[in-house]
Amino acid sequence: MGNMEALQQSNYKTGAYPFYEELREGQPIFSMNSDGTNHSWMITKYDHVKELLKSPSFIKDQSKFFSTSQDTEQNEFNIFQNMMLDVDPPDHTRLRRLVQPYFNPKTIKQLEPRIREIADDLLNQMKQKETTVDLIDDYAFPLPIIVISEMLGVPAEDRDKFRTWSNTIVSASNEMDPDFMDDVEAFTTYLTELFEQRKAEPQDDLVSHLIQTEEDGQQLTRNELYSMIVLLIIAGHETTVNLIGNTMYALFEHPEQLEKVKADPTLIPGAIEEGLRYYSPVDFSTARWADEDIDFHGQLIRRGDFILASISSANRDEEKFERASHFDVTRERNAHVAFGFGIHFCLGAPLARLEGKIALEKLLSTLPDIHLNRDVRSPEWRSVFLLRGLDSLPVSW
């Protein structure tokens, strides 16, 4: 079995963590595969991951190494090709500056009353159902998608469409869904219509502000506008869904920690940070390429080599975290890298933290006896390469 096959088979389940531990001990700069010219590498140790994420020697712009087709049949992918997440300075600096004001801690704090209202509404809907629900479908997914939709100005009746589009597009990182092209086309058509509506009748929402920036013609192109909205809707809410679901699953797995949190709600922020570390919502950083030949801790990484940082592995590094394999909501030194590091540190981190904190506070105060459905032995992890999240989380109370 090849190295990449072993990685894929071990991934997205708790069994991945022993695999990462072996790599940290024996092959911390792990060669996943080679095409004879370029290698693909995975970095697993905490200090190495941070060094990789901040180093200008590892870049996002793959066009420096590979030609990109501009043929008509490739145009559907334009909404993915100008993402802030996948470009280097100065484009990254320019794009991030455009949306940074909407995601700074002061601005996000103003959303707290509305996020609490949304959590209350979702919990009231849950209580009207049977006493067994899917915590992902009924709570962890809708809460962040409602929040980001309202920030963007997406009508409430259209939110369900984003679940289909989001699942298809994110899952395509693992294997191509047969509906992928249809969903991308539908998503692009929808955004085009929304842009035209906001262009004709601007509102006080993020889409309207970004449309105005695109109209100015200097700071944002139309393709960058598509990519920015895709990033905010899909990447933004997907990670928060995983944060809420993964943290609750970890608490269910560790009932003594759950009891601590229920007895002392001031521990909830610590539980969120530990959830981010223990079951990191993002398994791997997005791709980077070596911009030059470099000796990286004893391994020669050549220009054009593909590099991934294992966020999940770094956050379980025993050299950085005491009792790293233990889930502890009272952990004091928790400098995890769940939101990345360096210039690509997650723009939405303040929002994700606030949503996670409110989600747990409301859930545990409203349904204090909530527990994992006893018919479920072990929930299934989604088969999405870059992300770590649960397909479902059946709960009862």
Side-chain angles (χ1 to χ4, degrees):
M1 179 184 297
N3 286 341
M4 194 62 179
E5 292 177 81
L7 171 64
Q8 290 173 331
Q9 290 195 13
S10 69
N11 209 8
Y12 312 119
K13 298 184 170 57
T14 54
Y17 291 105
F19 178 67
Y20 295 148
E21 183 177 357
E22 290 181 13
L23 292 184
R24 289 193 301 272
E25 292 176 357
Q27 300 180 69
I29 317 298
F30 176 56
S31 176
M32 294 187 289
N33 59 29
S34 172
D35 63 6
T37 303
N38 294 110
H39 276 74
S40 296
W41 303 91
M42 181 170 68
I43 313 302
T44 58
K45 291 179 68 68
Y46 179 92
D47 288 339
H48 296 174
V49 164
K50 288 188 70 174
E51 182 179 346
L52 167 70
L53 295 181
K54 72 178 181 180
S55 172
S57 296
F58 300 103
I59 64 175
K60 295 294 193 85
D61 184 5
Q62 61 178 304
S63 68
K64 283 193 172 184
F65 315 106
F66 312 104
S67 61
T68 55
S69 172
Q70 299 299 319
D71 294 342
T72 302
E73 64 267 26
Q74 296 296 325
N75 287 345
E76 297 89 343
F77 293 96
N78 286 346
I79 64 171
F80 307 111
Q81 291 176 348
N82 297 273
M83 284 191 183
M84 177 174 62
L85 193 63
D86 295 324
V87 296
D88 302 304
D91 285 336
H92 173 268
T93 308
R94 170 177 56 85
L95 293 172
R96 190 174 180 107
R97 187 182 295 125
L98 292 175
V99 289
Q100 182 70 57
Y102 301 97
F103 291 91
N104 66 53
K106 182 178 179 181
T107 303
I108 294 304
K109 182 66 176 175
Q110 297 172 2
L111 299 175
E112 183 167 355
R114 177 57 184 148
I115 297 173
R116 291 187 177 278
E117 288 179 3
I118 294 168
D120 284 334
D121 290 343
L122 293 171
L123 287 167
N124 286 334
Q125 294 173 35
M126 284 171 56
K127 289 191 294 184
Q128 294 172 14
K129 298 184 178 182
E130 300 294 331
T131 55
T132 296
V133 300
D134 182 351
L135 197 64
I136 305 299
D137 279 347
D138 292 300
Y139 192 61
F141 177 85
L143 191 151
I145 196 62
I146 292 172
V147 173
I148 194 65
S149 294
E150 291 186 354
M151 290 178 69
L152 290 167
V154 173
E157 62 269 20
D158 294 335
R159 291 172 195 148
D160 285 344
K161 298 176 183 178
F162 289 111
R163 174 149 213 183
T164 300
W165 296 333
S166 175
N167 283 340
T168 300
I169 293 168
V170 170
S171 296
S173 65
N174 190 56
E175 58 181 17
M176 186 66 78
D177 188 297
D179 297 326
F180 177 80
M181 295 310 305
D182 289 341
D183 284 345
V184 169
E185 184 178 356
F187 196 9
T188 306
T189 299
Y190 178 87
L191 290 180
T192 301
E193 293 174 354
L194 180 63
F195 295 162
E196 293 306 313
Q197 291 171 9
R198 290 297 183 270
K199 184 177 177 180
E201 299 179 10
Q203 299 183 15
D204 186 19
D205 56 46
L206 186 47
V207 166
S208 296
H209 290 300
L210 291 175
I211 287 286
Q212 182 58 54
T213 303
E214 186 245 346
E215 285 294 297
D216 292 341
Q218 297 299 317
Q219 292 185 300
L220 195 67
T221 68
R222 176 53 63 107
N223 281 341
E224 287 172 341
L225 178 60
Y226 281 113
S227 296
M228 183 71 77
I229 303 303
V230 170
L231 178 62
L232 294 174
I233 290 176
I234 296 179
H237 95 269
E238 283 277 351
T239 52
T240 308
V241 174
N242 294 349
L243 165 59
I244 296 170
N246 295 0
T247 302
M248 280 307 305
Y249 179 49
L251 287 167
F252 291 142
E253 283 187 307
H254 302 83
E256 76 288 351
Q257 299 294 313
L258 179 57
E259 290 306 313
K260 284 183 182 180
V261 171
K262 289 196 292 187
D264 183 4
T266 64
L267 294 175
I268 286 178
I272 292 296
E273 297 306 312
E274 184 68 342
L276 285 163
R277 184 195 71 84
Y278 189 78
Y279 281 142
S280 303
V282 177
D283 229 345
F284 296 95
S285 68
T286 49
R288 285 166 171 79
W289 283 264
D291 196 29
E292 59 188 356
D293 290 358
I294 182 172
D295 185 332
F296 193 77
H297 299 279
Q299 288 284 5
L300 177 60
I301 297 179
R302 296 192 178 278
R303 185 177 188 275
D305 279 3
F306 172 85
I307 319 288
L308 284 177
S310 174
I311 302 298
S312 288
S313 177
N315 284 338
R316 295 281 191 104
D317 190 339
E318 300 82 355
E319 293 182 7
K320 178 64 181 180
F321 301 98
E322 185 178 354
R323 301 176 78 238
S325 62
H326 288 73
F327 181 78
D328 181 3
V329 298
T330 64
R331 188 180 295 274
E332 294 183 357
R333 292 183 291 276
N334 195 354
H336 62 73
V337 287
F339 290 121
F341 189 70
I343 64 170
H344 288 282
F345 182 83
C346 178
L347 180 73
L351 178 58
R353 283 183 161 120
L354 180 61
E355 290 174 326
K357 173 178 173 289
I358 292 173
L360 263 65
E361 284 177 354
K362 289 291 187 179
L363 182 66
L364 296 179
S365 63
T366 304
L367 302 171
D369 60 341
I370 192 169
H371 54 270
L372 190 63
N373 191 324
R374 294 181 177 87
D375 294 335
V376 177
R377 293 184 178 181
S378 179
E380 287 293 320
W381 296 96
R382 295 174 65 193
S383 295
V384 178
F385 186 64
L386 294 178
L387 304 177
R388 175 178 290 274
L390 294 162
D391 263 329
S392 63
L393 189 61
V395 296
S396 304
W397 61 88

